[in-house]
């Protein structure tokens, strides 16, 4: 062990040893309890960022800790490798998406290894490999056989310039994020997975996921959006066909004064056809289709509409209701038609005010009465029905049930349950994705690719152009094929799958990545699954996690897996945030463009102007507040970066970046290194204290603190994942060891207790900073690697405070420490302090003017 701590030498050494000795490679072992640890796998963008570092460091600590607790830990890593960024990069750089992707995988894998993460790289997978997506295609065919995959018409965000469908997130202010051209709503044939068949089970099992944050479960429940209400039929004036409306507030139906239709509703154009309003309706529909869905549902967006010229009747009052097409009604919610009750729905209220439509109060608060003419906003709460015929005087809850019965008895509607959740649209008109294994034949219609002909391989000889769109329809050798049923010339599906499909089952494939007889080896999958601890960002709280739960239930029903749910425990870590710096001339400043003039005052390196310090925000390249992990590793080493990420904040909270915090972490590691270096000769040949023989005074106190630290660190990791307080406890132990060495003349009789304390500090900090811990452990002449050691157990009796430490000051300056009984009175503590020989020497002949006693903490003698 060298006198100077040099992570540039130590870290590559131990990374090489771990890999050569396959320390983290695991196989099924029925004799050991398993622990499946998983962080959400990354998109191979080219470089890891601090969000990756924090996420994966948290997981690595858990993995190493569980290994030392005797678990058979599986900790895999792979790549979520399909998707649009690869296509965009390919177009920009003039390289193939596959080349870009695999180059990035190599680069990011090397960076992850630099961090010392305990991955079993033998299980590595990339979702763009045909060896992976071939099984995904088989799952799709099995779903198609069961009616869980189907093709239907759907409105999508369509960019005619790029010739592709855009996700909602890729539409910015109604424009394509890539070409800035207007995006339209276009009806197209698309493939769907029938997730709605599992809506009730997905909702019910939210109550079983006790290891998930309640915030995430609430988001999932809201996304599924189960609503109990009624379907009500509003007869059209000129047609026997009624407009069917779903509402959860059937108690307000007597107050419905107009009807609102989504622009996508089939009646929106049909009702105005041949009427004077037809032109205005068509113009409004085209305008609204160019709007983003999020704009249409925003509470801050103006509610607009146009009259169709048609009317329907309120089935309860027979009153005439004008029918409008409105921008705030979406086809995917309910039936795409809304009975408008302006006195009891705020959106309807605003719309009615704008278009001078009538208001009718039908629900009063429990106390007081409403006046439609003086209302400033809608009353949306439950209350007592008024102006509602035979239902007047009833409370809202009872009235809803009674109105349901009334509707059913007269065939005007019925009680109903609807879901906000819609079937999962998986078609993407993009190249870099898994081909959908379906064939179109003019004679036979839609025909699935036979299982024996899988996989349908994505051709790698395609060329992408700046014009965008997928090249697959232009590849004759890919598109043209024989119909599996009649043998005639047919054409392949050229859409690819949504990349969420790949990430919905990858955790299963990790359990058997080498299995070639099917998607999963059920025996191995049953051993490892479910995932015991899943770690990832809150941004995946709905789609990825919901789709993964859906896939697990489908695979269970197919007999491929045995689990009902994929993830037992979920940790959603906070973001990594850093203050932004902005120059009045050069805009946002990257770290390399900043000069620190003095403490907390920064300048622009380009022009010298003082930079404006902004708020701390999520690290973002666009705002220049990113920190490159690679630069930090070169300067401080991976262990320092790991320690800061863990120490600065609990994992579920945002981490606020601090350069001084990183430097502080480096100082602690150097201090720990010096301690081991200076004591190694004394301790190498000594066995740790095993409890035999009595201890007294400072030795007893150090031994007690050693066991207290084991307990604190174990509880902080096991119960809460509060690594910051666990690290703090180890720091306190290291401080106590230094204090013991500085204040006591000690000899060989103290070495066993000191050995136990030093060993304990090293082993407890080892999951957080594994490289330096391995090096120190080796210097202390242990036979096994530190990661192979069992986690230490604390002795409850040894950890118990039988005497209480009291700091004694004279005139506010520390002069000694004494021990008293925890039950000692104020007078007894004062007497013990004044009778201490060291304190007497500092008092001398001066009279004691005052003694301040803070029980359990300190005594201050004022002379």
């Amino acid at each position: 062990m060298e006198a100077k701590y040099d992570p540039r030498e130590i870290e590559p050494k131990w990374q090489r040893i771990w890999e050569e000795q396959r320390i983290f490679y695991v196989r099924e072992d029925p004799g050991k309890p398993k622990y499946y640890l998983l962080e959400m796998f990354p998109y191979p963008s080219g470089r890891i960022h601090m969000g990756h570092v924090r996420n994966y460091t948290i997981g690595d600590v858990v993995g190493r800790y569980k290994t030392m607790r005797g678990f058979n830990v599986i900790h895999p890593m792979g790549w979520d490798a399909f998707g649009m960024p690869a296509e965009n990069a390919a177009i920009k750089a003039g390289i193939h998406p596959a080349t870009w992707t695999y180059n990035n995988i190599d680069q990011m894998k090397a960076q992850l290894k630099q961090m010392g993460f305990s991955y079993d790289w033998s299980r590595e997978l990339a979702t763009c490999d045909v060896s992976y997506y071939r099984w995904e295609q088989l799952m799709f065919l099995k779903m198609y056989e069961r009616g869980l995959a189907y093709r239907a018409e759907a409105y999508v965000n369509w960019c005619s310039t790029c010739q592709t469908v855009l996700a909602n997130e890729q539409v910015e202010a109604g424009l394509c994020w890539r070409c800035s051209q207007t995006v339209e709503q276009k009806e197209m044939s698309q493939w769907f997975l029938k997730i709605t068949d599992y809506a009730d089970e997905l909702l019910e099992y939210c109550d079983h996921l006790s290891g998930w944050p309640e915030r995430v479960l609430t988001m999932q429940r809201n996304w599924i959006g189960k609503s109990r209400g009624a379907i009500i039929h509003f007869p059209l004036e000129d047609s026997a066909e009624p407009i069917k409306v779903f509402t959860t507030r059937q108690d307000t139906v007597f107050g419905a004064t107009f009807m609102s239709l989504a622009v996508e509703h089939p009646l929106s154009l049909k009702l105005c056809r041949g009427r004077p309003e037809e032109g205005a309706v068509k113009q409004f529909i085209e305008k609204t289709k160019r709007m983003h869905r999020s704009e249409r549902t925003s509470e801050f967006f103006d509610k607009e509409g146009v009259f169709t010229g048609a009317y329907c009747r309120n089935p309860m009052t027979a009153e005439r209701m004008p029918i409008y097409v409105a921008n705030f009604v979406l086809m995917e919610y309910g039936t795409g038609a809304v009975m408008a009750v302006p006195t009891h729905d705020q959106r309807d209220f605003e719309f009615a005010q704008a278009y001078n439509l009538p208001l009718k109060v039908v629900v009063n608060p429990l106390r007081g009465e409403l006046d439609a003419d003086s209302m400033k906003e809608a009353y949306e709460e439950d209350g007592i029905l008024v102006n509602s015929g035979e239902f007047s005087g009833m409370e809202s809850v009872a009235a809803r049930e009674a109105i349901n019965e009334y509707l059913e008895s007269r065939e005007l509607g019925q009680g109903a349950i609807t879901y906000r959740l819609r079937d999962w649209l998986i078609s993407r008109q993009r190249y870099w994705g898994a081909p959908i294994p379906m064939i179109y034949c003019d004679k036979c219609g839609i025909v699935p690719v036979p299982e024996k002909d899988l996989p349908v391989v994505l051709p790698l000889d395609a060329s992408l152009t700046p014009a965008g769109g997928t090249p697959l329809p232009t590849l004759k050798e890919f598109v043209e094929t024989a119909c599996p049923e009649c043998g005639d010339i047919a054409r392949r599906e050229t859409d690819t799958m949504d990349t969420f499909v790949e990430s919905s089952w990858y955790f299963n494939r990790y359990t058997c990545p080498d299995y070639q007889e099917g998607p999963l080896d059920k025996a191995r999958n049953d051993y490892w699954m479910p995932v015991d601890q899943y770690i990832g960002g809150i941004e995946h709280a709905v789609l990825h996690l919901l789709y993964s739960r859906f896939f697990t239930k489908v695979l269970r029903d197919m007999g491929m897996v045995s689990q009902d749910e994929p993830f037992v425990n979920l940790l959603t870590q906070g973001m990594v945030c850093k203050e932004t710096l902005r120059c009045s001339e050069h805009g946002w400043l990257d770290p390399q463009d900043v000069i620190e003039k003095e403490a907390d005052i920064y300048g622009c390196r380009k022009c010298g102007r003082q930079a404006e310090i902004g708020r701390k925000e999520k690290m973002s390249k666009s705002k220049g507040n990113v920190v490159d992990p690679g630069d930090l590793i070169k300067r401080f080493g991976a262990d320092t970066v790991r320690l800061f990420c863990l120490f600065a904040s609990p994992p579920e909270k945002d981490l606020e970046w601090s350069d001084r915090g990183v430097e502080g972490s480096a100082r602690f590691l150097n201090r720990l290194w010096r301690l081991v270096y200076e004591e190694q000769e004394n301790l190498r040949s000594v066995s740790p204290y095993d409890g035999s023989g009595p201890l007294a005074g400072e030795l007893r106190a150090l031994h007690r603190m050693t066991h207290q630290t084991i307990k604190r660190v174990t509880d902080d990791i096991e119960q809460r994942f509060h690594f910051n307080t666990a690290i703090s406890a180890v720091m306190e132990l290291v401080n106590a060891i230094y204090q013991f060495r500085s204040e006591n003349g000690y000899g060989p009789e103290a070495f066993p207790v000191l050995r136990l304390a030093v060993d304990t500090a090293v082993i407890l900090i080892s999951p957080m900073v594994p490289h330096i811990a391995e090096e120190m452990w080796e210097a202390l002449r242990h036979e096994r690697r530190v990661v192979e050691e069992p986690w230490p157990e604390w002795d409850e009796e040894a950890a118990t405070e039988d005497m209480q430490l009291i700091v004694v000051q004279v005139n506010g300056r520390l002069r000694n420490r004494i021990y008293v009984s925890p039950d000692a009175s104020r007078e007894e503590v004062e007497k013990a302090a004044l009778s201490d020989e060291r304190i007497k020497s500092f008092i001398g002949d001066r009279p004691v003017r005052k003694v301040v006693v803070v029980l359990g903490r300190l005594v201050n003698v004022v002379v």
Side-chain angles (χ1 to χ4, degrees), residues 414-438:
Q414 65 279 332
I417 295 174
T418 65
Y419 299 87
R420 181 177 183 268
L421 180 68
R422 292 293 180 261
D423 283 339
W424 177 8
L425 192 161
I426 66 161
S427 292
R428 296 292 181 269
Q429 289 71 38
R430 300 172 189 147
Y431 164 68
W432 192 236
I436 297 174
M438 303 301 287

Side-chain angles (χ1 to χ4, degrees), residues 150-156 186-192 331 425:
Y150 66 94
R151 189 168 172 83
E153 297 293 311
Y155 281 95
V156 295
K186 182 178 181 180
E187 194 171 27
M188 297 177 63
S189 290
Q190 306 279 286
W191 284 99
F192 293 82
M331 191 65 204
L425 192 161

Side-chain angles (χ1 to χ4, degrees), residues 295-525:
E295 291 180 287
R296 291 170 62 181
T297 56
S298 171
E299 60 180 296
F300 306 108
F301 196 76
D302 289 339
K303 311 299 183 288
E304 295 180 347
V306 62
F307 179 46
T308 63
Y311 292 85
C312 63
R313 295 279 178 177
N314 187 315
M316 307 300 277
T317 66
E319 292 175 0
R320 203 175 190 222
M321 297 169 54
I323 303 171
Y324 282 76
V325 178
N327 63 1
F328 61 88
V329 182
L330 298 183
M331 191 65 204
E332 57 261 40
Y333 295 149
T335 63
V338 173
M339 69 170 201
V341 186
T343 50
H344 303 296
D345 182 276
Q346 187 60 29
R347 294 183 310 169
D348 297 341
F349 181 85
E350 294 172 14
F351 192 91
Q353 295 287 83
Y355 293 91
N356 198 28
L357 294 164
L359 280 68
K360 180 181 178 183
V361 173
V362 293
V363 178
N364 271 330
L366 295 177
R367 294 175 181 172
E369 294 184 0
L370 300 174
D371 175 22
D373 293 334
S374 61
M375 291 180 72
K376 302 299 183 185
E377 62 182 4
Y379 175 73
E380 298 183 320
E381 305 301 319
D382 284 354
I384 304 296
L385 269 63
V386 294
N387 303 319
S388 299
E390 65 187 81
F391 306 101
S392 293
M394 297 181 69
E395 291 191 6
S396 291
V397 174
R400 287 195 279 270
E401 291 300 321
I403 289 173
N404 279 358
E405 294 175 7
Y406 180 92
L407 293 169
E408 291 176 11
S409 67
R410 288 162 176 76
E411 297 184 350
L412 296 173
Q414 65 279 332
I417 295 174
T418 65
Y419 299 87
R420 181 177 183 268
L421 180 68
R422 292 293 180 261
D423 283 339
W424 177 8
L425 192 161
I426 66 161
S427 292
R428 296 292 181 269
Q429 289 71 38
R430 300 172 189 147
Y431 164 68
W432 192 236
I436 297 174
M438 303 301 287
I439 293 171
Y440 301 98
C441 175
D442 291 338
K443 287 184 181 178
C444 307
I446 300 175
V447 182
V449 172
E451 291 182 17
K452 66 179 179 62
D453 293 339
L454 294 179
V456 177
V457 178
L458 182 71
L460 297 180
D461 56 354
S463 298
L464 279 74
T465 68
T470 172
L472 290 179
T474 68
L475 298 179
K476 182 178 179 181
E477 61 276 17
F478 175 76
V479 175
E480 289 190 4
T481 188
C483 172
E485 293 188 0
C486 70
D488 283 1
I489 294 177
R491 62 191 183 281
R492 291 192 188 279
E493 172 63 78
T494 56
D495 286 356
T496 54
M497 294 191 208
D498 179 5
T499 55
F500 274 118
V501 176
E502 282 87 64
S503 61
S504 294
W505 72 283
Y506 76 107
F507 42 86
N508 282 299
R509 186 64 182 174
Y510 277 144
T511 67
C512 50
D514 57 344
Y515 189 63
Q516 297 300 318
E517 305 304 314
L520 300 170
D521 181 339
K522 192 168 184 298
R524 291 159 70 186
N525 187 262

Side-chain angles (χ1 to χ4, degrees), residues 313 370-371 418 450 510 555 559 700 714 734 738 798 804:
R313 295 279 178 177
L370 300 174
D371 175 22
T418 65
Y510 277 144
L555 296 181
R700 184 180 180 85
T714 304
V734 172
Y738 267 99
Q804 195 169 52

Side-chain angles (χ1 to χ4, degrees), residues 720-748:
R720 293 171 289 275
F721 286 174
H722 280 191
F723 309 116
N724 56 325
T725 52
I727 292 167
S728 180
V730 177
M731 289 178 171
E732 290 175 22
L733 176 59
V734 172
N735 289 342
I737 297 171
Y738 267 99
Q739 181 180 313
F740 174 84
R741 295 167 70 232
S742 66
E743 296 184 359
N744 296 276
Y746 63 95

